[in-house]
Amino acid sequence: MRTIDNINDLNKSDFLSIFGNVFEKTESVAMEAFELKPFKNFEDIVFKMLDIYENYEKNKILEILNAHPELAIAKKMTSESISEQASAKLNQCSNDEYEEFKKLNAEYKKKFNFPFIIAVKGKDKNEILNNFRQRIQSDVESEFLEAKKQVKKIATFRLNEINKK
């Protein structure tokens, strides 16, 4: 486990290699957090990174949402996304499940202009599909807020994983 002193002593490059993908393919949160060192403890890092994200303008949030891969069908994913989706067995879909994910992903992206985002940790593919089917019925503003909330959950899970190392 890293100590807070180890983290505070990291140079920018090393800090970004550890924290740069907490928000999917978006290093800006980690870059801004790096400038807020020294951190009191790991919870301080979590608080500051989530606060940076929460205070972004809507267009920046949309950039982060759009950096997320589609569920079960994305070909290019970060190692974090691969691991997270595999834990929910999204890499083991039947042909019917795969086709439904493909259809829902396309409809969702067309309706909302960003991919469906859900923190998959602790969920199985049936739970995720049911959630997908329900949320695609939402209005654009409600779904934007839900996707934003899901990104925070994903970031929190990723930060907790970093803290365990």
Side-chain angles (χ1 to χ4, degrees):
M1 187 189 280
R2 292 180 180 92
T3 68
I4 198 62
D5 290 334
N6 296 139
I7 293 169
N8 284 327
D9 288 342
L10 293 171
N11 63 36
K12 189 176 225 170
S13 175
D14 291 339
F15 187 87
L16 291 177
S17 73
I18 295 168
F19 294 96
N21 201 44
V22 166
F23 290 88
E24 190 79 13
K25 300 178 192 164
T26 309
E27 286 190 335
S28 60
V29 176
M31 286 192 288
E32 289 182 44
F34 178 82
E35 300 302 325
L36 300 175
K37 291 186 344 176
F39 302 106
K40 295 179 216 128
N41 49 40
F42 201 83
E43 293 74 29
D44 190 35
I45 298 170
V46 173
F47 173 80
K48 286 178 176 168
M49 289 187 80
L50 294 178
D51 189 58
I52 290 164
Y53 168 72
E54 273 295 322
N55 285 294
Y56 276 155
E57 293 187 12
K58 187 172 185 173
N59 65 335
K60 183 66 177 170
I61 299 287
L62 283 169
E63 282 179 34
I64 293 171
L65 298 182
N66 277 298
H68 282 260
E70 293 179 320
L71 292 180
I73 66 167
K75 299 293 180 230
K76 292 184 179 178
M77 294 191 290
T78 62
S79 59
E80 291 88 350
S81 288
I82 291 168
S83 173
E84 290 158 359
Q85 289 200 28
S87 75
K89 307 233 182 306
L90 294 178
N91 61 338
Q92 298 173 20
C93 289
S94 68
N95 286 340
D96 288 345
E97 289 167 334
Y98 175 80
E99 288 303 319
E100 185 173 7
F101 270 113
K102 192 172 166 184
K103 178 179 165 282
L104 286 169
N105 276 308
E107 289 174 10
Y108 187 97
K109 179 84 173 179
K110 183 177 180 184
K111 181 175 181 179
F112 298 109
N113 263 349
F114 52 86
F116 177 75
I117 300 169
I118 186 169
V120 299
K121 187 175 177 103
K123 294 178 176 54
D124 64 29
K125 56 187 169 175
N126 291 329
E127 189 177 350
I128 294 164
L129 262 174
N130 287 333
N131 201 295
F132 209 154
R133 292 176 191 124
Q134 290 172 346
R135 284 179 45 198
I136 202 165
Q137 305 303 319
S138 296
D139 64 90
V140 174
E141 187 57 28
S142 297
E143 193 54 26
F144 170 79
L145 293 173
E146 182 61 29
K148 183 178 173 185
K149 184 172 96 177
Q150 292 297 319
V151 167
K152 276 181 69 174
K153 283 184 180 180
I154 294 165
T156 301
F157 286 141
R158 289 179 178 182
L159 285 163
N160 288 335
E161 285 301 312
I162 290 168
N163 192 31
K164 290 178 188 174
K165 293 180 181 175

